[in-house]
Amino acid sequence: MTDTADGNAELTISAPHRELLDQVLDKWSLQVLNELCECPCRFNDLRRAIPAVTQKSLTATLRKLERNGIIERIVLSTRPVAVEYRITPLGKTLRDPVDVLLAWATRHMDEIDTARDRFDAL
């Protein structure tokens, strides 16, 4: 972070930032986080809640989120053994920034659609 001439801080978008944002803000991650913010879920519960996701994509998404400390995988001592996914305290801190981004997108969707139509017409 550096200071600009007007005294405001300027963020540097580095490769680690881009990698993290790509991993936690993709379409499946956002849907998984939305489900896990409500309550812990087993894998098949997530598959039912997000029917468009494939098993392979859901597995990869859960691994990315777990690797980044956003969710945790808990092995339950049941018979048969089951696994549950929960959002971590770090993951909960994503809720407000994601809500801000979604509100921005909702507020500007008409302008965005107009821009897309204009671009696609070229």
Side-chain angles (χ1 to χ4, degrees):
M1 195 178 314
T2 58
D3 288 330
T4 60
D6 61 4
N8 291 325
E10 181 180 293
L11 295 175
T12 302
I13 302 172
S14 66
H17 289 105
R18 287 189 305 274
E19 178 186 15
L20 174 66
L21 293 174
D22 182 51
Q23 289 181 359
V24 300
L25 295 178
D26 68 2
K27 69 178 181 177
W28 299 129
S29 293
L30 288 174
Q31 291 186 41
V32 166
L33 290 171
N34 189 55
E35 293 301 320
L36 294 180
C37 276
E38 299 303 318
C39 64
C41 293
R42 291 183 178 186
F43 186 89
N44 285 328
D45 295 333
L46 289 168
R47 289 266 335 255
R48 280 189 289 278
I50 312 167
V53 70
T54 65
Q55 180 172 340
K56 181 179 178 180
S57 292
L58 181 56
T59 299
T61 297
L62 291 167
R63 286 186 178 152
K64 286 187 298 187
L65 293 171
E66 184 180 10
R67 179 175 180 260
N68 287 294
I70 307 302
I71 66 169
E72 61 185 345
R73 181 179 183 269
I74 307 294
V75 178
L76 304 173
S77 57
T78 58
R79 291 193 187 239
V81 173
V83 173
E84 185 176 75
Y85 295 91
R86 299 177 185 171
I87 195 157
T88 64
L90 177 62
K92 289 180 183 180
T93 66
L94 274 173
R95 185 64 173 224
D96 288 340
V98 168
D99 285 347
V100 168
L101 287 171
L102 291 173
W104 176 88
T106 300
R107 197 168 43 252
H108 295 285
M109 193 52 69
D110 289 341
E111 295 169 75
I112 293 165
D113 286 339
T114 299
R116 287 174 175 172
D117 290 344
R118 189 171 45 248
F119 182 89
D120 292 344
L122 297 177

